[in-house]
Amino acid sequence: MLAASFVLVVEVLENLAFLANASNLVLYLSKFMHFSPSSSANIVTNFMGTAFLLALLGGFLADAFFTTYRIYLISAAIEVMGLVMLTVQAHLPSLKPPNCDPQNSNNIQCKEVEGWKSVMFFAGLYLVALGVGGIKGSLPSHGAEQFDESTRRGRKQRSWFFNYFVFCLSCGALIAVTFVVWIEDNKGWQWGFGVSTIVILLSIPIFLLGSHIYRTKVPTGSPITTIFKVLAAALHNNCRTTKGSNVVSGISSEGGDCDSTEKFQTQTPTESLVFLNKAVTIKPVHPVLQCTVRQVEEVKIVLKTLPIFMSSIMLSCCLAQLSTFSVQQAATMNTKLGSLKVPPASLPVFPVTFTMILAPIYNHVIIPFARKATKTEMGITHLQRIGTGLFLSIVAMAVAALVEIKRKHVATESGLLDSNEPLPITFLWVSLQYLFLGSADLFTLAGMMDFFFTEAPISMRSLSTALSWTSLAMGYYLSSVLVDAVNNVTRNYGHTPWLFGTNLNHYRLEKFYWLMCILSGLNFLQYLFWASRYKYVSAGTDDD
């Protein structure tokens, strides 16, 4: 727990730096870089999607060549480089497009950033994405590696770690969407980017403080190579004629006979995904395709978790709305609380505060009660937890649609439908969808990280844990695809595109949210199909 505590503190700082910019970036793009609302939303979702997708690269490198320890340090340095570029550009007016009045359509200077200024902006932005990806792919598994999974206490502590990892995500997000967003809106974006740079720099020595007590897994070679070798051997051997082939009755171990891992290698392949069994039951035509039972079973584990991974993408697509259209919705509403004017990008304060309250309650109240009720070590299984989050995402999208209907009704009644003036309706209405999606994120993200780390083979744990972030990446990309697809379909059928233009009041955002609700419902049904058929690989480690 002491070693993991350094990881938790670092995660607070890392997520603070990341979300301080990501949560407010859509307004920076539209106000200072002069992109349209839909273009700004797509740029943000593509940026966040790339950052989370690159977690796979970080996890792969940690498993195959480096360690989670080294990958974090390298990634933090890369993120600092990107933030320095963005800070310099935000500080110097000559590196940004000229200021203009967006209400004046005849102002020829009111155009989005272009040329080398655009190159500098996107280079800095995607250096940040590369750094964030490496950190996301290495830090959770580095913390989880500190616990002894051979004991009940170690497994419980590891489960607690993943819950508190999400808690620390929320702590960093809370500071980001309040303090740093206020700085960006009131003092300037150069100060916001500067704070993020300082925070990431500060995280490096804090991480290094735990160096003498960290347990670090030694890289064992590329897990992707193992996956492709088993798939290639199985495909080749299934295509070969079995007549006259040399069937292997047993696979010798690759070392001593006392290690549990080596004992696993002497077993015959299981009956699940039987088409992979021929990778070991038939001698390969080339030594490169020689596989062991252990390698085949490890690949089976990875393939069995993929449907769970695919089922979580739709939830991530819903979460993408929190940093895009939901922020723009709030920007059109009355953001005052008494005499205090709340920045729209600070809306995530609602879900992160709720998450910070719910995470300890889940750890210390819900889980102990569930363990007593079910008489099992886990209490609530990983898949039950993920499924709860998926169901909450359906509710969140339905609430978002109803809130948008109310917002548009107020805009029509007040005669401000064609205006960019703030509507006489409080932005707290939008907080409802934030609360449901924040709860969904707590259940699903922590459940997925614990699920993928626990179920994955030891040689693939960093890569497998990175699937939790990759799900977010695919969700953000899917959000961009859905926006473009909805606009193209509605345009082709002779209608005004649902999500096009500079005035959010003219969007058909409520229809888009209903579409997301329906897709989330269908996704939940197919998740139930896969989850009900999944058998835990780690079930054998549970104390009877």
Side-chain angles (χ1 to χ4, degrees):
M1 287 299 294
L2 177 62
S5 65
F6 288 101
V7 173
L8 295 176
V9 173
V10 167
E11 182 53 33
V12 173
L13 300 175
E14 181 275 327
N15 207 46
L16 189 164
F18 175 51
L19 282 187
N21 303 316
S23 63
N24 206 19
L25 188 61
V26 68
L27 297 182
Y28 178 72
L29 290 168
S30 57
K31 185 175 180 180
F32 295 99
M33 295 298 175
H34 307 320
F35 289 101
S36 68
S38 58
S39 296
S40 300
N42 280 350
I43 290 172
V44 172
T45 52
N46 290 339
F47 160 67
M48 298 186 74
T50 301
F52 290 127
L53 184 62
L54 286 170
L56 271 184
L57 177 62
F60 166 74
L61 292 175
D63 281 334
F65 306 110
F66 302 93
T67 61
T68 52
Y69 178 87
R70 291 178 179 174
I71 288 297
Y72 173 79
L73 295 175
I74 295 171
S75 301
I78 293 173
E79 185 173 354
V80 167
M81 291 170 54
L83 286 169
V84 168
M85 292 179 65
L86 293 175
T87 303
V88 171
Q89 185 173 41
H91 179 67
L92 298 177
S94 60
L95 299 180
K96 294 182 291 186
N99 292 330
C100 67
D101 181 9
Q103 302 294 327
N104 184 3
S105 59
N106 295 323
N107 191 335
I108 59 173
Q109 291 183 331
C110 193
K111 56 183 179 181
E112 63 189 47
V113 65
E114 58 185 3
W116 61 272
K117 298 176 184 178
S118 176
V119 171
M120 181 177 182
F121 172 74
F122 284 106
L125 193 65
Y126 280 93
L127 275 176
V128 172
L130 178 60
V132 169
I135 293 173
K136 299 292 188 189
S138 59
L139 202 58
S141 54
H142 181 74
E145 286 167 2
Q146 309 309 315
F147 302 99
D148 183 4
E149 65 180 337
S150 64
T151 65
R152 176 191 288 265
R153 182 167 180 259
R155 292 193 296 272
K156 284 183 179 180
Q157 288 182 331
R158 187 177 62 196
S159 180
W160 292 346
F161 166 77
F162 283 117
N163 287 329
Y164 276 110
F165 188 86
V166 177
F167 174 83
C168 289
L169 279 172
S170 300
C171 288
L174 180 64
I175 301 172
V177 301
T178 53
F179 176 67
V180 184
V181 165
W182 181 87
I183 289 177
E184 290 167 348
D185 287 348
N186 294 275
K187 301 297 181 181
W189 269 84
Q190 67 272 25
W191 292 101
F193 286 131
V195 169
S196 296
T197 306
I198 293 171
V199 165
I200 287 295
L201 283 172
L202 181 62
S203 74
I204 296 175
I206 292 177
F207 182 78
L208 291 173
L209 284 176
S211 299
H212 65 291
I213 57 173
Y214 288 147
R215 296 173 55 181
T216 305
K217 185 191 71 177
V218 178
T220 55
S222 171
I224 294 181
T225 301
T226 301
I227 293 172
F228 280 114
K229 182 175 76 169
V230 170
L231 292 176
L235 181 62
H236 183 272
N237 290 345
N238 273 285
C239 293
R240 288 172 61 191
T241 278
T242 57
K243 183 179 180 180
S245 354
N246 295 316
V247 178
V248 181
S249 58
I251 307 299
S252 61
S253 62
E254 299 174 355
D257 58 359
C258 59
D259 188 270
S260 61
T261 302
E262 303 301 336
K263 289 179 181 178
F264 177 71
Q265 288 181 314
T266 64
Q267 297 175 358
T268 56
T270 59
E271 291 303 313
S272 61
L273 299 177
V274 291
F275 73 93
L276 292 178
N277 290 349
K278 287 190 178 180
V280 289
T281 57
I282 298 178
K283 288 184 178 180
V285 294
H286 195 281
V288 173
L289 295 180
Q290 179 69 53
C291 302
T292 65
V293 172
R294 178 191 175 191
Q295 290 174 329
V296 170
E297 292 304 311
E298 286 179 347
V299 173
K300 286 182 179 181
I301 292 170
V302 173
L303 294 181
K304 288 176 184 177
T305 61
L306 288 182
I308 307 300
F309 160 72
M310 298 297 292
S311 299
S312 65
I313 292 176
M314 193 61 216
L315 168 63
S316 302
C317 183
C318 297
L319 289 171
Q321 311 314 312
L322 294 183
S323 54
T324 54
F325 288 123
S326 293
V327 174
Q328 293 172 334
Q329 277 179 288
T332 68
M333 303 165 80
N334 180 10
T335 59
K336 289 185 177 181
L337 284 177
S339 59
L340 176 66
K341 186 174 183 180
V342 180
S346 293
L347 266 179
V349 70
F350 295 103
V352 299
T353 302
F354 187 70
T355 299
M356 291 172 63
I357 296 171
L358 184 59
I361 292 175
Y362 183 87
N363 257 353
H364 302 292
V365 178
I366 298 177
I367 287 297
F369 176 79
R371 283 176 179 149
K372 290 180 180 179
T374 61
K375 293 181 172 56
T376 61
E377 179 182 316
M378 297 179 68
I380 299 175
T381 67
H382 301 136
L383 295 179
Q384 288 171 344
R385 188 171 184 180
I386 295 171
T388 301
L390 297 182
F391 177 78
L392 288 173
S393 70
I394 302 173
V395 179
M397 287 296 96
V399 169
L402 294 173
V403 169
E404 175 61 8
I405 291 173
K406 181 175 180 61
R407 191 191 70 84
K408 292 278 286 290
H409 177 73
V410 170
T412 303
E413 291 292 317
S414 59
L416 297 175
L417 195 62
D418 298 321
S419 172
N420 287 320
E421 295 180 23
L423 302 177
I425 178 176
T426 177
F427 75 108
L428 293 178
W429 281 99
V430 180
S431 67
L432 294 175
Q433 61 216 54
Y434 275 77
L435 288 176
F436 282 107
L437 282 174
S439 303
D441 191 26
L442 170 65
F443 279 98
T444 302
L445 182 58
M448 285 176 61
M449 285 194 293
D450 201 354
F451 172 75
F452 287 126
F453 186 91
T454 304
E455 295 295 287
I458 294 177
S459 62
M460 304 181 187
R461 279 185 163 172
S462 295
L463 181 66
S464 184
T465 306
L467 286 176
S468 305
W469 305 113
T470 306
S471 167
L472 287 171
M474 302 304 290
Y476 278 103
Y477 286 135
L478 178 60
S479 177
S480 295
V481 170
L482 277 177
V483 170
D484 290 336
V486 164
N487 282 339
N488 289 332
V489 170
T490 50
R491 182 186 295 110
N492 291 337
Y493 279 89
H495 300 286
T496 303
W498 283 3
L499 308 171
F500 183 78
T502 58
N503 190 331
L504 194 70
N505 294 335
H506 294 162
Y507 281 36
R508 297 294 183 267
L509 194 56
E510 71 283 358
K511 293 183 178 180
F512 179 68
Y513 283 152
W514 283 124
L515 175 64
M516 297 277 286
C517 182
I518 293 171
L519 293 176
S520 297
L522 295 175
N523 176 69
F524 180 68
L525 292 178
Q526 66 93 24
Y527 170 80
L528 292 179
F529 173 83
W530 294 110
S532 62
R533 286 159 176 77
Y534 187 86
K535 292 183 179 180
Y536 286 95
V537 177
S538 57
T541 65
D542 197 355
D543 295 332
D544 292 335

